[in-house]
Amino acid sequence: DTGVSQDPRHKITKRGQNVTFRCDPISEHNRLYWYRQTLGQGPEFLTYFQNEAQLEKSRLLSDRFSAERPKGSFSTLEIQRTEQGDSAMYLCASSAGGSGEKLFFGSGTQLSVL
Amino acid sequence: QKEVEQDPGPLSVPEGAIVSLNCTYSNSAFQYFMWYRQYSRKGPELLMYTYSSGNKEDGRFTAQVDKSSKYISLFIRDSQPSDSATYLCAMSAPRGFNKFYFGSGTKLNVKP
């Protein structure tokens, strides 16, 4: 499978716990995006990497959220001290960049905070 | 005002019907327009991609862009129950950081 891979598919946690999600992009893609999606809404931008550099971060993203992309390959998204409002689908997408880039999404990680 | 507006539906049609899905937008800088299909509890799948104005056809799917009206459409001919999903429109501008703006999605149900 050469698509975008996300792990885990589902995560149930208690409020206050830390969680970490992993994304493996399409191998030749240098851009990687994280989005959050809640029921009945479109994906909401969280952050973006060009290779290993994190170039943009949404103002909506609290300090409890951090993302990394070491060596410009896979990426991790960590949420510290989870809150019930963090419950959502976390989507990773990758692209080859350039003008008119196309985003390809993974299947997402569904987070439920109890 | 949201950058991209999309009717959430749900839209229910009989099998074989022609489906029309639409989005409007406010930013005249958008040049790239996409339609994604999203099945329940899955990630969005890129369905159609269009640059600037005009039509693009791929099998039963046709995407139309009218930049003068800031209006895009997706037509599905001979709709099938397997087309039942949420359809998201997305768009981006060509310069700088390529942030993608998504509609909220239209839920489509094709009844056998």
Side-chain angles (χ1 to χ4, degrees):
Chain A
D1 185 6
T2 57
V4 178
S5 177
Q6 290 189 247
D7 183 71
R9 289 294 315 279
H10 306 276
K11 179 70 176 178
I12 300 174
T13 191
K14 292 182 179 179
R15 189 175 53 187
Q17 298 294 304
N18 299 344
V19 294
T20 300
F21 310 141
R22 177 180 170 123
C23 172
D24 288 272
I26 294 171
S27 58
E28 60 268 27
H29 284 180
N30 57 13
R31 288 189 178 177
L32 187 147
Y33 297 78
W34 284 100
Y35 284 83
R36 176 171 60 192
Q37 186 179 28
T38 53
L39 199 62
Q41 299 298 315
E44 173 189 35
F45 170 76
L46 293 179
T47 191
Y48 147 72
F49 290 85
Q50 171 89 20
N51 298 311
E52 68 275 10
Q54 187 175 18
L55 298 185
E56 187 82 14
K57 193 173 174 181
S58 169
R59 287 172 293 174
L60 301 174
L61 206 60
S62 82
D63 292 341
R64 297 183 297 105
F65 287 72
S66 62
E68 294 183 343
R69 192 184 182 196
K71 302 178 182 177
S73 56
F74 71 93
S75 176
T76 58
L77 177 69
E78 181 183 16
I79 309 174
Q80 296 182 325
R81 305 181 303 282
T82 52
E83 300 172 358
Q84 287 186 324
D86 297 331
S87 296
M89 172 81 88
Y90 289 83
L91 293 164
C92 176
S94 71
S95 83
S99 184
E101 64 184 296
K102 298 177 183 179
L103 280 186
F104 295 89
F105 284 89
S107 293
T109 294
Q110 182 67 50
L111 173 67
S112 296
V113 181
L114 305 179
Chain B
Q1 184 186 4
K2 287 185 177 180
E3 297 270 4
V4 180
E5 298 281 357
Q6 184 174 10
D7 187 333
L11 182 62
S12 188
V13 301
E15 183 175 354
I18 296 174
V19 176
S20 173
L21 304 167
N22 311 293
C23 287
T24 59
Y25 62 96
S26 56
N27 189 343
S28 58
F30 290 146
Q31 293 278 9
Y32 303 98
F33 304 91
M34 291 137 278
W35 286 95
Y36 285 84
R37 177 175 61 196
Q38 186 173 25
Y39 292 113
S40 181
R41 302 184 186 280
K42 299 286 188 182
E45 170 195 9
L46 182 61
L47 203 56
M48 298 289 282
Y49 175 91
T50 312
Y51 169 66
S52 194
S53 285
N55 294 359
K56 183 173 182 178
E57 188 173 321
D58 184 0
R60 298 184 295 111
F61 299 89
T62 299
Q64 284 187 352
V65 175
D66 182 350
K67 291 192 68 185
S68 62
S69 301
K70 296 189 179 68
Y71 188 88
I72 69 170
S73 300
L74 177 70
F75 297 96
I76 306 174
R77 291 183 299 279
D78 187 25
S79 56
Q80 302 295 310
S82 59
D83 295 327
S84 297
T86 295
Y87 290 80
L88 296 157
C89 63
M91 43 202 80
S92 68
R95 295 189 179 275
F97 162 53
N98 275 344
K99 183 176 175 181
F100 290 76
Y101 294 84
F102 286 84
S104 57
T106 299
K107 189 168 185 178
L108 172 66
N109 180 33
V110 181
K111 299 174 293 185

